[in-house]
Amino acid sequence: MSERRSSGPVTWAVSAGVGALQFAENLSDRAAANAVRTRIDWKYAWGLDLDDPGFD
């Protein structure tokens, strides 16, 4: 089994916001999760720290 990291629960507001940005940019679930991990504009939009690990 592989070890998975957990950053804790995601708030409903961040989850809903990611869904809205995902729809607006026509991204797959995986691409949206990657955007949360790597894109500064998405992190800024949801008030996440720049070193926030995002979610899977």
Side-chain angles (χ1 to χ4, degrees):
M1 293 178 81
S2 64
E3 185 176 323
R4 296 182 63 121
R5 71 181 197 301
S6 174
S7 60
V10 176
T11 66
W12 67 268
V14 171
S15 182
V18 168
L21 289 175
Q22 177 183 6
F23 178 78
E25 295 195 15
N26 195 30
L27 298 175
S28 68
D29 290 343
R30 185 162 306 277
N34 188 48
V36 173
R37 285 191 296 275
T38 60
R39 290 184 49 181
I40 292 172
D41 56 335
W42 279 41
K43 289 184 181 207
Y44 180 80
W46 302 112
L48 301 174
D49 291 333
L50 291 179
D51 60 350
D52 189 283
F55 56 89
D56 292 325

